[in-house]
Amino acid sequence: MDWSLLFQSYGAIFTSLQVILMALLGATGGVLLGAVPGMTATMGVALLIPFSFGMDLIPSIALLLGIYCGGMYGGSISAILIHAPGTPSAAATLLDGYPMCQKGQAGKALSVALFSSFCGGVLGALIMTFLSPMVAKVAMKFTSAEMLMLAVFGLSVIVSISGKSISKGLIAAFFGLLLATVGQDPTYGAKRFVFSFRPLLSGFSFIPVLIGLFAVSEVIAGVERIVAGDEKQESSHEKLTRVLPDGKTIKTIWPNILFGGIIGTFIGAIPGAGGDIAVFVSYGFNKSFSRHPEKWGTGIPNGVAATESANNGCSGGAMIPLLSLGVPGDAVTAVLLGAFIMKGIQPGPMMYVNELPTVYKVFAALMLANIAMLAVGCVGVRFFAKIVSVEKKMLYPIILIVSLLGAFAINKNVFDIGVCVLFGVVGYLMNKFEFPLSPILLALILGPMCEQNLVRFVDVNNGNFLEILHRPIAMGFFIVSVATIIFSIYNQNKINKREAAAAQAEKAE
Amino acid sequence: MKKTQTKAFSNLVCAIILLIFEGWAYYETYSFKVQKKAYVQPATFPRVMLIGMIVFTLILLIQSLIKVFGTMKENDPDNSPAPPINPFTNKGVLAALFVVLLCCCFTFFFEKLGYVLISAIICAIIMWMVGKRDILVILLVSILVPLVLWFVFYKLLTVNIPMGVLQPLRDLVDKI
């Protein structure tokens, strides 16, 4: 590594007013876009790419990376405040973020999300700076076998997010995997559960399902609670004294941030696997190793930290295969690849030889984008936290019309609004009968990945699935998956026993 | 409390409904096209998922049967009252059902009436339903919020949202 060139590049980026302004502008746009359900970071980058046409490469990359990082954090805002993840990768943030909001700690949840997102992003940028060629080499060893087992590893987390009843969690997960098969079969194009209804040919879009399951169902349940007189809190009046978490909170969440950031970066570096998978893996991993797994899902900062650090850690991870191999790690980096090519630079192994100063400047721009996201987030946290002080009688209808519009906006298709409403009802009923919703989401993300790679692997090996035993990385993932399932079941039994004992002790008193 | 009013009983009913759904879905997989020389058929993955779902539904069914027809500890979480689902006896459930109906109306009239108008109507109805009685606030929120949202999506995010009968408003904004 050329240290002097690295420092020079960082110096050039951090002293250029234009680059700083672009990063701030991008982060502001990203945070705002990410906070709107249905608007993803990919959409933001694609939307603003025309504005970067007239700029030099580095300011335009700073603008786009600002949107990327801002969008990653922005998704958590609506997840925490209104139970509607702004982006798919913020889906796991609501597991603890929304309960924190319900406890009147929305501001704290937002500040933990911001700080963790920043730390995860910085960790990702550092790993990208120092280890990118190495990580890229490992990531490129991923074929269908490894991708299949990565999906299985992701699915193994389901047990730890299933709540009290593992059987209900697994029913929900298999239901999600079944839903992922609706539409045309990805390999042969055969119609499955389409019933001659053309809009179903492409299956259910992920975002409308996500919005329906979490936001619309919450509105239906919220209206029910208000009318039945069960709504405990009309509105929250939390006084936010700090925009960043205090020292005591940081002390408790730093291991989650560290592991989350590392998990996010490595999963982000695998082409085809992004933040949506990383957040659940990080949540499950951190919960499994927690001293108090029973507190996860009840509204603790650790849950928010574990998911948000993994979420933004992915931004650095996804840049690794882009720069070192010319292969985008996710949809946003695919758009970024277009931006590089437009500027006459071809990312790939030769970029490290021919364009090393540019590579280092991109590293620095990602670091700057994370700092810009922190700055914008600090200004915005107080404002965003005010949303929950709006009376719920007004908030619920507003959430409903924003959610339904978000469902439409993703594909500009009325069918998606219908899907959103349908899954709103499904989510409402599932919540009522205590079936967890998150396994469906995880299954919807991982189902297509699982099936496509299974079919590919079996076809390549002439039907011999046992060939997978000769793939060390895949078997490594398999062993970790089995260990995660066993550990999660053990943990859940421990939690159930503790809760039963506590209930008995309470009754005895 | 009667056992038919407990969560254990509602789990039993859920499990039976799920089994019927799973049976139907499994039968439906036989209508999928069979590919020649394919190791993994289009029906294979859905069937495996359905078998998984059936196995865990059966576990839930057996657990519930034991609790409903056998003995259940007093502090068992499944011994608590089942959630209300009857809209005729619970006004909260009736309101929830009404919100679902409004959402269906939103989907149906979205293109005909346009986003702003249908959202304003639905927003006002829900606010009134949950007990908001300040007419001025109801009118302001129901009109301004959809308008601002439409403007942000249309002008800033370049998402074309149907305006229906309010199309002239969009023409006016375009002219300005």
Side-chain angles (χ1 to χ4, degrees):
Chain A
M1 176 160 280
D2 189 339
W3 289 94
S4 66
L5 186 61
L6 183 71
F7 285 121
Q8 267 177 28
S9 305
Y10 265 76
I13 292 292
F14 280 83
T15 51
S16 164
L17 191 64
Q18 191 197 7
V19 177
I20 294 171
L21 273 174
M22 284 302 130
L24 279 170
L25 192 71
T28 311
V31 169
L32 293 174
L33 266 177
V36 180
M39 292 278 133
T40 58
T42 317
M43 214 184 249
V45 172
L47 206 70
L48 290 187
I49 214 165
F51 294 97
S52 66
F53 283 163
M55 292 179 210
D56 290 336
L57 176 74
I58 296 302
S60 68
I61 293 295
L63 175 78
L64 299 175
L65 287 176
I67 302 168
Y68 190 12
C69 295
M72 288 295 199
Y73 164 64
S76 70
I77 297 168
S78 45
I80 291 168
L81 300 178
I82 62 170
H83 206 234
T87 55
S89 48
T93 307
L94 56 76
L95 292 174
D96 273 286
Y98 189 65
M100 277 184 84
C101 176
Q102 284 179 312
K103 282 193 218 166
Q105 298 174 354
K108 189 179 177 186
L110 285 172
S111 63
V112 169
L114 175 65
F115 181 73
S116 312
S117 201
F118 167 71
C119 293
V122 168
L123 206 61
L126 287 175
I127 294 175
M128 178 178 118
T129 307
F130 298 109
L131 299 175
S132 60
M134 244 161 60
V135 176
K137 261 185 205 167
V138 177
M140 279 302 111
K141 283 187 179 157
F142 274 61
T143 61
S144 51
E146 286 74 24
M147 292 301 278
L148 171 66
M149 283 304 157
L150 174 67
V152 171
F153 174 48
L155 287 170
S156 68
V157 171
I158 283 171
V159 179
S160 66
I161 56 170
S162 287
K164 284 174 193 164
S165 169
I166 293 172
S167 51
K168 280 185 178 177
L170 289 168
I171 291 171
F174 280 111
F175 177 59
L177 287 166
L178 187 70
L179 284 177
T181 65
V182 173
Q184 279 184 314
D185 155 52
T187 317
Y188 306 106
K191 291 173 192 168
R192 300 188 294 194
F193 303 113
V194 174
F195 312 109
S196 310
F197 187 50
R198 284 185 70 85
L200 274 180
L201 271 176
S202 51
F204 294 116
S205 293
F206 182 67
I207 301 269
V209 175
L210 174 80
I211 295 174
L213 277 178
F214 291 97
V216 176
S217 70
E218 180 61 21
V219 172
I220 300 172
V223 169
E224 180 183 337
R225 284 196 301 267
I226 293 178
V227 174
D230 297 335
E231 188 69 78
K232 289 168 198 157
Q233 206 181 4
E234 276 294 293
S235 60
S236 167
H237 295 287
E238 178 196 13
K239 203 169 181 185
L240 192 67
T241 47
R242 317 170 59 101
V243 288
L244 288 174
D246 53 42
K248 202 179 152 196
T249 310
I250 293 173
K251 210 174 154 188
T252 57
I253 60 172
W254 76 262
N256 309 112
I257 293 176
L258 186 68
F259 287 122
I262 294 171
I263 290 170
T265 310
F266 279 91
I267 291 185
I270 301 165
D276 40 9
I277 299 171
V279 289
F280 281 104
V281 171
S282 170
Y283 189 86
F285 181 86
N286 278 288
K287 185 183 172 183
S288 296
F289 288 97
S290 164
R291 278 185 198 164
H292 298 284
E294 72 277 7
K295 288 184 180 168
W296 288 63
T298 60
I300 55 166
N302 305 63
V304 178
T307 54
E308 275 307 302
S309 55
N311 186 7
N312 210 13
C314 270
S315 55
M319 294 293 289
I320 294 173
L322 174 73
L323 293 178
S324 36
L325 301 157
V327 179
D330 63 5
V332 181
T333 42
V335 181
L336 284 173
L337 177 66
F340 275 109
I341 293 169
M342 264 186 334
K343 303 286 174 194
I345 291 170
Q346 179 63 51
M350 290 313 286
M351 197 175 170
Y352 280 78
V353 181
N354 301 333
E355 301 277 355
L356 196 58
T358 311
V359 173
Y360 285 161
K361 279 181 183 163
V362 174
F363 291 163
L366 183 64
M367 191 65 86
L368 180 67
N370 278 296
I371 295 168
M373 179 209 73
L374 182 72
V376 171
C378 282
V379 176
V381 157
R382 284 178 199 279
F383 169 74
F384 296 131
K386 288 258 184 279
I387 292 174
V388 277
S389 62
V390 176
E391 201 184 351
K392 287 200 171 156
K393 285 174 182 172
M394 285 200 307
L395 197 58
Y396 283 134
I398 294 172
I399 293 172
L400 184 68
I401 60 169
V402 173
S403 301
L404 295 176
L405 182 60
F408 171 80
I410 191 85
N411 294 323
K412 286 121 194 139
N413 189 350
V414 181
F415 174 69
D416 284 342
I417 304 180
V419 169
C420 181
V421 173
L422 173 72
F423 280 94
V425 178
V426 170
Y428 164 74
L429 290 173
M430 287 183 71
N431 262 333
K432 213 170 184 82
F433 294 103
E434 295 177 348
F435 282 84
L437 296 176
S438 309
I440 295 192
L441 214 60
L442 190 57
L444 269 174
I445 296 166
L446 294 171
M449 182 173 159
C450 212
E451 186 182 7
Q452 281 169 26
N453 288 296
L454 173 73
V455 174
R456 208 171 292 155
F457 179 75
V458 173
D459 277 351
V460 167
N461 292 288
N462 297 319
N464 183 12
F465 182 73
L466 293 179
E467 195 61 36
I468 207 158
L469 296 172
H470 303 294
R471 308 298 296 246
I473 299 176
M475 288 322 291
F477 272 125
F478 179 71
I479 291 165
V480 177
S481 310
V482 173
T484 308
I485 292 171
I486 294 170
F487 205 65
S488 303
I489 293 173
Y490 168 75
N491 258 343
Q492 195 53 50
N493 282 338
K494 211 164 73 179
I495 292 168
N496 290 351
K497 272 182 192 165
R498 268 190 211 171
E499 281 181 0
Q504 208 142 17
E506 206 173 284
K507 210 180 162 192
E509 275 173 24
Chain B
M1 187 170 52
K2 283 182 190 169
K3 277 195 171 173
T4 51
Q5 291 170 343
T6 60
K7 276 185 186 170
F9 188 75
S10 71
N11 284 343
L12 181 70
V13 175
C14 280
I16 293 168
I17 294 170
L18 278 170
L19 280 173
I20 294 169
F21 165 77
E22 289 151 9
W24 164 80
Y26 199 89
Y27 174 75
E28 198 59 39
T29 59
Y30 286 99
S31 66
F32 299 169
K33 209 169 151 187
V34 177
Q35 295 292 325
K36 284 176 189 167
K37 291 180 185 172
Y39 294 108
V40 183
Q41 289 294 329
T44 309
F45 197 76
R47 276 184 197 155
V48 173
M49 296 310 121
L50 278 164
I51 290 170
M53 215 173 152
I54 290 167
V55 168
F56 288 103
T57 311
L58 283 173
I59 292 174
L60 183 68
L61 182 83
I62 294 164
Q63 282 173 340
S64 314
L65 278 172
I66 293 170
K67 285 179 180 176
V68 172
F69 296 105
T71 49
M72 195 163 25
K73 282 180 191 168
E74 221 173 285
N75 62 351
D76 191 320
D78 286 337
N79 202 10
S80 51
I85 46 161
N86 190 344
F88 301 107
T89 54
N90 187 299
K91 56 182 181 174
V93 179
L94 186 67
L97 208 65
F98 196 66
V99 175
V100 175
L101 193 74
L102 287 175
C103 290
C104 294
C105 290
F106 183 97
T107 315
F108 189 73
F109 292 110
F110 184 73
E111 280 181 319
K112 287 173 189 145
L113 292 181
Y115 171 73
V116 175
L117 193 57
I118 189 70
S119 297
I121 294 169
I122 281 172
C123 211
I125 294 175
I126 296 179
M127 270 197 268
W128 184 266
M129 199 168 74
V130 292
K132 190 95 192 146
R133 291 291 178 265
D134 190 334
I135 301 286
L136 186 70
V137 173
I138 291 179
L139 282 177
L140 277 176
V141 172
S142 340
I143 293 168
L144 286 180
V145 173
L147 256 181
V148 171
L149 280 171
W150 169 76
F151 187 80
V152 170
F153 272 77
Y154 180 57
K155 276 286 158 196
L156 302 180
L157 305 174
T158 62
V159 178
N160 201 355
I161 294 165
M163 278 299 269
V165 290
L166 294 180
Q167 183 66 27
L169 184 72
R170 182 161 74 187
D171 299 337
L172 185 75
V173 170
D174 286 341
K175 270 184 196 168
I176 296 167

